[in-house]
């Protein structure tokens, strides 16, 4: 725990139980910086989450629609309740995004891998949001809720067991 402007602030979420709870309880994700290009990490992560039952709300002024969902210019333009604001933006622009997430009453402010900004974390936490920083929502979902078998884990392809042909 640390303090900021006299408030007691917890550090960004890193424990497995907390991450699992966030991913289980929150089903509507506003993805800020979502690209319509299938090869971009934001598209890949959002598509994966959408395929696993999450509602994705794209936030990017460059598009009208992504993944079959209406795209919004700003977080504040979203008319529906948002559980998680997932950030695919440079760290230096995240404080304003944290303020927007607080303003709409989101529950979680999630900064993707490589996005680290302590000021944003403090803004979000002081506004009552949980904060996840420097983690990928897709990777954490796959790791904690069983999606890794889609890429070889738990399929028998990767194993710690010695292959039969090596047993004498």
């Amino acid at each position: 725990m640390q303090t900021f402007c006299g408030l007691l602030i917890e550090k960004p979420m890193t424990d497995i139980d907390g991450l699992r709870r966030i991913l289980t309880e929150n089903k509507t994700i506003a993805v800020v910086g979502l690209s319509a290009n299938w090869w971009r990490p934001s598209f890949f992560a959002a598509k994966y989450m959408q395929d696993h039952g999450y509602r994705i709300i794209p936030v990017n002024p460059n598009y009208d629609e992504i993944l079959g969902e209406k795209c919004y210019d700003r977080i504040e333009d979203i008319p529906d309740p948002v559980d998680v604001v997932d950030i695919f933006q440079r760290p230096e622009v995240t404080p304003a995004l944290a303020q927007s997430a607080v303003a709409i009453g989101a529950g979680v402010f999630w900064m993707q891998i490589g996005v680290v900004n302590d000021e944003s974390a403090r803004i979000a936490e002081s506004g009552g949001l949980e904060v996840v920083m420097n983690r990928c929502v897709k990777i954490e979902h796959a790791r904690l809720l069983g999606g890794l078998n889609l890429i070889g884990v738990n399929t028998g392809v990767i194993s710690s067991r010695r292959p039969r042909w090596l047993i004498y």
Side-chain angles (χ1 to χ4, degrees):
M1 299 249 207
Q2 50 186 261
T3 60
F4 176 72
C5 295
L7 298 170
L8 194 59
I9 305 295
E10 293 190 31
K11 292 189 178 187
M13 178 70 58
T14 59
D15 69 281
I16 289 173
D17 291 334
L19 290 169
R20 185 178 286 122
R21 179 186 47 73
I22 287 171
L23 292 168
T24 304
E25 294 176 357
N26 300 285
K27 297 297 182 182
T28 303
I29 305 172
V31 183
V32 180
L34 178 56
S35 173
N37 297 319
W38 65 267
W39 62 85
R40 301 291 300 183
S42 62
F43 184 92
F44 186 76
K47 176 76 171 120
Y48 170 90
M49 296 305 285
Q50 189 179 58
D51 289 347
H52 284 83
Y54 293 79
R55 176 166 179 223
I56 300 301
I57 301 175
V59 179
N60 189 327
N62 299 315
Y63 302 101
D64 293 327
E65 183 180 293
I66 302 174
L67 292 171
E69 293 280 347
K70 178 177 172 28
C71 201
Y72 296 92
D73 291 350
R74 303 172 319 124
I75 294 170
E76 294 88 351
D77 296 338
I78 301 170
D80 302 321
V82 172
D83 299 323
V84 178
V85 175
D86 185 17
I87 307 298
F88 280 91
Q89 294 284 291
R90 296 180 323 274
E92 59 269 18
V93 302
T94 60
L97 298 172
Q99 291 171 346
S100 296
V102 169
I104 67 163
V108 179
F109 189 70
W110 190 302
M111 292 179 270
Q112 284 289 332
I113 291 176
V115 183
V116 176
N117 188 303
D118 292 330
E119 178 186 0
S120 299
R122 285 190 288 275
I123 292 167
E125 287 172 340
S126 66
L129 279 66
E130 292 186 274
V131 174
V132 180
M133 188 164 42
N134 200 25
R135 291 183 180 267
C136 175
V137 69
K138 181 252 179 260
I139 291 171
E140 295 304 324
H141 182 277
R143 179 174 76 100
L144 301 174
L145 298 175
L148 283 176
N149 61 345
L150 299 174
I151 58 170
V153 180
N154 296 334
T155 62
V157 174
I158 299 173
S159 174
S160 61
R161 293 185 180 171
R162 183 181 295 254
R164 290 185 182 195
W165 59 269
L166 282 178
I167 299 175
Y168 298 32

